[in-house]
Every structure is written in C-alpha cells, then in structure tokens.
Amino acid sequence: MRRSILLTIISCCTLSAKAQMPPISQDSIVVYFDEIKAASQKSMQLWGKEVYGPMLLVDPSTRTVYANEPDSAGLLKQQGAIYTGILPKDVNISNTAMNWSGKRWATIMLPLPKDKQQRVNLLAHESFHRLQPALGFALNSPENNHLDQKEGRIYLRLELAALGKALQASNGKEVKTHLTHALIFRKYRYAIYDKAAGTENSLELNEGIAEFTGAIVTGRTKAEATAYFLNGINKFLQNPTFVRSFAYNTTPIYGYILYQKNNNWQKQITANTDLTSFFIKAFGINIPANVQAAATRVANNYNGSAIVQQEAEREINIQQLIAEYKRKFIQEPHVDIKFVQMNVSFDPRNIMPLEDKGTVYPNARITDVWGILTVENGALMSPNWDKITVTQPTKMDGNKVTGDGWTLELTGGYQVTKDEATGHFKLIKQ
C-alpha cells in the first residue's frame, strides 16, 4: 500500500473548504512570489541552493491555484506573470510539498499572513520541504504519543521555558546555562520514554529543519527573531496536544542560536544525524550522568511546580476524554474504512493518542480509490495507518454517506454495509 501523508503547518490557520475569503488580486500573488524569491536569493549560503522554486498558492474555498511557473502537463494557464488553474478534487489541500502535474511544488493555502516576515517564513518552510529530498533529508513525520502523557508534557514545557530564557540571555555564559538545562530536561524525557529520542529526532529533522530554514530566510534582526520565537512558544503551549507540533519550536531555536556562531552547521547534518547529540557537542555542553536529579534540581528555575500542577489537572480531563473516544469509536456502532492508496491532510495541533488503539484526528480529509472522506468531528486512525474509524452513519444516500461530523463521498463500486453479527459497519467493494 502506498501512502502519502500531508501535514497542515501550524503557523497558518486552516481554512474550511466552505469558508469564503476576500478576492486575491494577481498583483498580490506576484508580490508574494517576488518576496520569497528575493529572500531566497539573499540566503543562498544557507543550503548552497536557492530555496525558491515551483510554488502553488491555493484558495481552499474555490480550489483555484496560482503558480510561479508552468506545470509540465499544461493544466495551468498563463495570466500575465503567473499561471492559474483549478486543483483537482482528489488532491488534498495543505501547506506542504507535493508532486503534481509533472513537478514537485511547495504548496501553501491562501490567504497568506498579512505580515511580510511571517509570509516569507511560511513560504520558505514549505519550499524547504520541496527541496528536502534533493538535500538528502527523509520525509518522516512520526507521532510522538509520549508528548501527550503527563511526564512527556512536563519536560517538554520545561525545555521550552529554558530555551525561552536562552533567547533572552544577556551574555554567552547565561545562554549556555539555559541551553544546558533545556537539554537536561530533554535527556531526562528520553530516559522516561525509551523510544522518544528516535521519534522526536525524526520529526525535528523534518519539520524542525524546515522551520529553521523559514526563520533564517526571513532575515529577521536578533530582536525580531527573539520576539518571533517567544511568541511561537506561547502559541504552541495553547495547542491541545504537542504530539506532532513541538518540532516547529525546539529545533528552530537551537538552530538559530547555533547559527549566530556557526552559520554552516546545517550543512554538517544528514538524515541520520542525532540532533540532540549534535547540539550538545556543538554548544560544548556537559550533561550530568544523573539527569533525573539534575532536572529536578533546576526545574523550579522555569516555573516547574506550576507546570507539574497544571499537567496533573490536565491528565484528569484527558482520561475522561479518552473514555468518551473509546465509547464513540470502539464500543458503539462505527464504520471501519480500510485504506488502499491513501492520501491524508490534517491539522497536527489537535490530534490525540488513544492508548494502543490509534490516534484521534478531530479534523482530516482523506482521499483513496474509494472516494473522499471529510472529518470535522473526530475519527480514529489505526496505529499502523491501515484504516480509519468514524461513528455510525446517520444517512446513506446513494454515493454519499454522512454521520456525526463526517461525510464520505464514494466512487462507483463501493458501498457502506452493516455487519449484523457485530452491529458495526464497513466499507466494501461491490
């Protein structure tokens, strides 16, 4: 089974396909392309290649695309300095990079941020994903379910608090102290969860390096960069879950601080680099043998007691939510939809692990040979990504099946049927 996973970047608000947005002028589109092109040319040394390349800006309400160059299949038509067309319905819309119509594109949803630096940051982030395979970096996006557990969240929050102080430190000694503490919290987190180091590293090499690229290409001053990162941490902490979104905040900050002393460090890493070990060595940091004792000793320098109390309270609420999700997607009648050639887009900020049963995705759009599934009120993705479960249907009308917060548009030859023995439903091919 071939699967393609598209992630909606957290730095841009996801728009519903039903949402209406103000008309986009072609002049504005040209300005956006010119901005990222100019910023990319100024940052050529970052990767030794120009980040700017084939790019699609997509209006999710109409599926209209605006490109900076023609596609290979001739689906886009030239209008002045840009190229336009309609994105096929079977292509999910996300902030991502994708292969379409003969080229690999950076794809970004409209409207773009009003602030120029944020626009360039976003366009450069997705442009890195377009360039990523050519730079030798794998397109991995593993879930980090331990970051939805109490201890995982506590020590990630403490790490981010230490990184925030490192950004604001007045001298090199203070910077190193806070970086040391940040990495102690990280190493203790890895000691608690034995697979955490690998899964976190994979996501940081993917989304973390992309966001680092976006932050550098903007050309922000030190004060502007500090404000941007601190604001990013504050927004991140408001997310319902940290499972997929943490890497947009950790690696970019370590990378930015290191970039001030070595603006070629990013060229020294590969898809196999352990970023935690790399940063420890690059900053000349000594991690104590007893990371638990060290983490406990310095935690209150970063509001540790309050963080622990907040996470203990959250854990109680989460257990109640888990029980509700088990009722909806496991115990009560539901529909199991198996994947054949799946392509999915979703918002990584609000997904929730459901123990060993999989992960609940509150919002998602999935295309497959059987049609299109749009989820707006939760669905359970299996642990090995071979199926998705939604609540029982409330209406089946020809090729359109609907339920509580979901719609399934079926292609010919597929139908949803009820298994009378179990009371559950399944998607089958006729």
Side-chain angles (χ1 to χ4, degrees):
M1 177 177 63
R2 181 174 62 87
R3 295 176 298 175
S4 175
I5 301 170
L6 307 179
L7 301 186
T8 303
I9 190 173
I10 65 173
S11 60
C12 181
C13 294
T14 304
L15 292 178
S16 166
K18 299 178 182 178
Q20 296 297 318
M21 49 181 263
I24 301 293
S25 71
Q26 290 191 21
D27 289 343
S28 296
I29 298 296
V30 172
V31 168
Y32 299 156
F33 288 146
D34 287 344
E35 287 174 345
I36 181 59
K37 184 176 182 179
S40 176
Q41 289 174 341
K42 290 180 181 179
S43 306
M44 281 285 291
Q45 68 84 31
L46 184 62
W47 292 109
K49 296 182 179 182
E50 191 171 355
V51 173
Y52 178 78
M55 188 175 298
L56 297 175
L57 304 183
V58 188
D59 178 344
S61 64
T62 64
R63 303 189 72 85
T64 302
V65 296
Y66 305 90
N68 59 340
E69 58 182 68
D71 62 310
S72 299
L75 300 179
L76 303 176
K77 306 304 179 184
Q78 186 170 4
Q79 292 187 8
I82 62 176
Y83 300 81
T84 66
I86 301 297
L87 197 65
K89 192 176 181 180
D90 63 351
V91 178
N92 286 329
I93 300 174
S94 291
N95 291 341
T96 187
M98 68 176 180
N99 298 319
W100 176 74
S101 196
K103 289 188 177 181
R104 182 167 176 80
W105 305 85
T107 308
I108 303 94
M109 293 187 296
L110 294 168
L112 297 184
K114 294 181 179 180
D115 178 77
K116 178 182 176 181
Q117 289 182 335
Q118 291 184 20
R119 282 198 303 271
V120 171
N121 201 130
L122 174 58
L123 296 177
H125 177 116
E126 302 307 339
S127 293
F128 172 84
H129 283 315
R130 179 195 61 80
L131 189 61
Q132 195 169 342
L135 293 173
F137 290 98
L139 296 166
N140 291 326
S141 188
E143 294 174 2
N144 287 268
N145 290 350
H146 62 282
L147 295 180
D148 203 55
Q149 297 180 26
K150 184 175 70 172
E151 298 298 314
R153 287 177 57 92
I154 287 171
Y155 288 98
L156 176 60
R157 289 182 62 180
L158 287 169
E159 179 183 0
L160 289 170
L163 286 176
K165 287 198 173 184
L167 286 167
Q168 301 173 83
S170 59
N171 58 66
K173 183 178 180 180
E174 287 184 10
V175 171
K176 187 172 182 178
T177 296
H178 293 304
L179 287 175
T180 299
H181 294 165
L183 288 162
I184 285 173
F185 294 136
R186 171 175 287 222
K187 294 291 283 187
Y188 181 45
R189 187 167 70 247
Y190 292 171
I192 298 172
Y193 304 101
D194 60 352
K195 295 182 180 179
T199 57
E200 287 192 20
N201 192 64
S202 292
L203 191 59
E204 289 187 309
L205 283 169
N206 188 31
E207 296 297 349
I209 297 300
E211 182 59 17
F212 162 76
T213 299
I216 297 300
V217 170
T218 60
R220 293 183 178 94
T221 64
K222 183 177 180 180
E224 290 170 337
T226 298
Y228 174 75
F229 288 129
L230 292 175
N231 185 55
I233 291 174
N234 290 334
K235 286 185 176 180
F236 167 78
L237 293 175
Q238 298 171 25
N239 291 341
T241 180
F242 302 159
V243 171
R244 280 190 180 269
S245 52
F246 76 96
Y248 295 91
N249 298 276
T250 51
T251 303
I253 297 176
Y254 287 115
Y256 175 79
I257 294 174
L258 182 56
Y259 193 77
Q260 308 312 302
K261 56 185 287 190
N262 176 8
N263 64 8
N264 283 308
W265 74 261
Q266 68 282 356
K267 296 177 184 176
Q268 300 167 15
I269 65 173
T270 70
N272 297 317
T273 298
D274 179 333
L275 286 174
T276 301
S277 298
F278 181 89
F279 287 135
I280 289 173
K281 182 177 180 181
F283 288 120
I285 288 172
N286 294 315
I287 301 295
N290 190 337
V291 288
Q292 178 179 6
T296 302
R297 185 172 61 252
V298 300
N300 279 335
N301 294 343
Y302 306 97
N303 207 26
S305 295
I307 289 174
V308 170
Q309 181 177 349
Q310 291 164 9
E311 292 304 323
E313 292 171 355
R314 176 186 181 273
E315 185 70 9
I316 295 173
N317 295 329
I318 287 298
Q319 292 306 314
Q320 295 173 346
L321 186 57
I322 287 175
E324 172 65 12
Y325 281 148
K326 283 183 177 179
R327 180 186 63 79
K328 286 178 62 174
F329 300 119
I330 298 172
Q331 298 162 2
E332 293 186 349
H334 55 261
V335 187
D336 287 329
I337 303 173
K338 292 186 177 181
F339 299 138
V340 181
Q341 190 174 316
M342 176 266 283
N343 184 293
V344 57
S345 62
F346 57 89
D347 187 337
R349 293 169 294 183
N350 60 1
I351 64 176
M352 180 179 161
L354 192 59
E355 299 174 345
D356 60 347
K357 308 300 182 183
T359 302
V360 175
Y361 288 76
N363 307 95
R365 186 178 190 271
I366 298 171
T367 61
D368 207 314
V369 296
W370 37 253
I372 301 171
L373 173 66
T374 303
V375 175
E376 296 177 347
N377 192 29
L380 176 63
M381 184 75 74
S382 65
N384 59 357
W385 284 64
D386 65 344
K387 70 174 183 178
I388 193 163
T389 300
V390 292
T391 56
Q392 66 179 322
T394 56
K395 185 177 182 181
M396 291 191 280
D397 185 9
N399 289 338
K400 187 173 183 180
V401 184
T402 57
D404 179 17
W406 62 268
T407 301
L408 177 60
E409 301 170 69
L410 294 171
T411 55
Y414 287 88
Q415 66 177 8
V416 172
T417 63
K418 185 175 183 178
D419 185 335
E420 296 298 337
T422 64
H424 301 310
F425 297 78
K426 59 183 177 181
L427 176 66
I428 63 171
K429 187 174 183 179
Q430 295 172 314

